[in-house]
Amino acid sequence: MPDSSLQKRKPFQPLAVLGLLGSLWTHYYGGKTPLLTLVRANLALLEQQRQNLAEVEACVSRLTVPFYHTEHWTLIKLAGEYRDGRRFPKPAGLQSMPLLLNRMTDSTVMLQEGIDYQILDQSIEFMADPFENELISQDCDTAYLWGVAGQFDREYVQKHFGYIYRLQREPGQSYEAYRDTINAIADCQVLGTTMARLDALLAAVLGVPVADGREKVLTTAEDRRGRFLVTTRHIYRIDDDAVLAAPEGSKPRVATPLVRSFRISELRPDQLPDGVTDVIVPAGMAGGASKTVPAKSLNVVSCILVQLAKIDYLDDRLADLICRVLPPQTGVVFAAL
């Protein structure tokens, strides 16, 4: 889907532009159809230039950097020599393409993503063989379609902000979660680490949905992709065994996790849970790298207790991300929720 962080702009209107050209063109054209075709073609180029400029503008801020590049029109070449059944190689970086048409204007074939075809990791798979459709242009064992509003991965988030925090997107991690993680780290480093900002960081890393402060929790349901949570403003994908942190009918505060996945609390060193003998400390206290040390050997002011509903969520990356935003003389302990 198109990235909602970009401001919606009203498209150019060919007939309105034609009216602005005055009457001089009537001396060179017998009718308006040829000129209107030329105007439409040039406006299509200008629309793409305006889209590119909007993405450049959005990339200035870590809060609005888009997930994908939008290409209004893309020529899709389906080469028969590379086909695998009804699968064909997709253009590099293609993530989504809502429509495929046989022509840019007056199209007689309109294919919809998710119904007539699907975008896979390396290919496009069609429900019906496009070579068997006589309305689709073909030559030399190649079929041609025009893709509309294609979303292409140009690694905007990584190239503009991810490298600053030495943070790579994990395999399978959505760009939304990746950008939220970067913003949570930046907020802690720029504005100071608080419990609320630690909540935001952990929610981003674990992919836990958080409330926007203006929505009401409605219900949960399932489809073929799994379970989801419905509010008055959003639909969130959640784990099949997830427990809601906010009951149905409630209006949770902004940034409140909607799923019971973790809990963060602050303890004094003498309040550590029974059985906890080791504490993870940040790089500044560990001689250049975060590491686990015996609790009794620490001279810390406080400890952050992170309780996880699924302790297998814990890995070195999660521990490192939390340690890099902790205040001085603060350690972190992980336990089951």
Side-chain angles (χ1 to χ4, degrees), residues 57-73:
E57 178 185 353
C59 284
V60 172
S61 170
R62 61 180 173 86
L63 301 176
T64 60
V65 56
F67 306 137
Y68 302 115
H69 164 67
T70 299
E71 196 73 26
H72 290 310
W73 291 100

Side-chain angles (χ1 to χ4, degrees), residues 159-233:
K159 291 180 177 179
H160 287 272
F161 297 99
Y163 78 94
I164 299 175
Y165 301 97
R166 306 184 306 280
L167 191 63
Q168 296 284 344
R169 187 167 69 97
E170 293 294 299
Q173 182 184 31
S174 70
Y175 267 112
E176 183 175 9
Y178 179 50
R179 187 177 70 178
D180 288 346
T181 301
I182 290 174
N183 285 329
I185 294 174
D187 286 342
C188 289
Q189 294 182 348
V190 175
L191 304 174
T193 302
T194 64
M195 298 302 289
R197 294 188 182 112
L198 279 177
D199 280 342
L201 173 59
L202 210 57
V205 176
L206 299 179
V208 176
V210 295
D212 66 6
R214 295 177 292 172
E215 58 191 331
K216 181 180 179 180
V217 177
L218 297 180
T219 187
T220 60
E222 294 183 5
D223 60 14
R224 63 181 182 178
R225 294 173 55 193
R227 191 167 172 226
F228 57 91
L229 169 64
V230 182
T231 72
T232 52
R233 290 174 54 85

Side-chain angles (χ1 to χ4, degrees), residues 27-45:
H27 296 286
Y28 301 96
Y29 296 92
K32 69 178 181 180
T33 301
L35 183 60
L36 186 59
T37 302
L38 181 62
V39 168
R40 282 175 173 164
N42 280 279
L43 289 183
L45 294 175

Side-chain angles (χ1 to χ4, degrees), residues 33-285:
T33 301
L35 183 60
L36 186 59
T37 302
L38 181 62
V39 168
R40 282 175 173 164
N42 280 279
L43 289 183
L45 294 175
L46 289 175
E47 285 282 7
Q48 187 61 56
Q49 293 176 10
R50 186 165 68 169
Q51 173 66 32
N52 297 345
L53 182 60
E55 291 175 8
V56 171
E57 178 185 353
C59 284
V60 172
S61 170
R62 61 180 173 86
L63 301 176
T64 60
V65 56
F67 306 137
Y68 302 115
H69 164 67
T70 299
E71 196 73 26
H72 290 310
W73 291 100
T74 305
L75 179 60
I76 304 297
K77 299 179 181 180
L78 306 176
E81 60 179 314
Y82 299 117
R83 68 184 297 170
D84 178 12
R86 293 193 297 271
R87 293 186 181 184
F88 299 83
K90 71 177 185 179
L94 178 63
Q95 302 297 310
S96 174
M97 190 164 280
L99 294 174
L100 288 174
L101 312 177
N102 65 331
R103 292 196 295 264
M104 294 180 68
T105 59
D106 301 324
S107 58
T108 54
V109 173
M110 179 181 293
L111 306 179
Q112 291 183 289
E113 183 178 4
I115 298 177
D116 302 299
Y117 63 93
Q118 57 180 337
I119 308 295
L120 305 176
D121 289 341
Q122 304 294 332
S123 60
I124 304 177
E125 182 179 24
F126 292 86
M127 301 301 109
D129 190 345
F131 281 90
E132 296 180 358
N133 191 331
E134 297 180 353
L135 298 177
I136 297 178
S137 299
Q138 304 175 32
D139 64 35
C140 299
D141 199 29
T142 300
Y144 300 92
L145 290 167
W146 284 98
V148 179
Q151 302 287 287
F152 291 83
D153 184 4
R154 299 286 176 82
E155 297 183 343
Y156 283 154
V157 182
Q158 162 64 26
K159 291 180 177 179
H160 287 272
F161 297 99
Y163 78 94
I164 299 175
Y165 301 97
R166 306 184 306 280
L167 191 63
Q168 296 284 344
R169 187 167 69 97
E170 293 294 299
Q173 182 184 31
S174 70
Y175 267 112
E176 183 175 9
Y178 179 50
R179 187 177 70 178
D180 288 346
T181 301
I182 290 174
N183 285 329
I185 294 174
D187 286 342
C188 289
Q189 294 182 348
V190 175
L191 304 174
T193 302
T194 64
M195 298 302 289
R197 294 188 182 112
L198 279 177
D199 280 342
L201 173 59
L202 210 57
V205 176
L206 299 179
V208 176
V210 295
D212 66 6
R214 295 177 292 172
E215 58 191 331
K216 181 180 179 180
V217 177
L218 297 180
T219 187
T220 60
E222 294 183 5
D223 60 14
R224 63 181 182 178
R225 294 173 55 193
R227 191 167 172 226
F228 57 91
L229 169 64
V230 182
T231 72
T232 52
R233 290 174 54 85
H234 302 284
I235 296 178
Y236 303 97
R237 287 286 167 185
I238 59 177
D239 292 340
D240 292 340
D241 57 352
V243 177
L244 297 186
E248 296 181 4
S250 64
K251 294 182 178 180
R253 293 180 292 108
V254 62
T256 300
L258 297 175
V259 173
R260 186 176 177 268
S261 183
F262 65 89
R263 180 189 300 150
I264 302 177
S265 53
E266 186 175 10
L267 306 174
R268 297 193 307 270
D270 59 357
Q271 294 177 317
L272 289 176
D274 294 338
V276 173
T277 59
D278 296 325
V279 176
I280 301 175
V281 295
M285 297 176 60

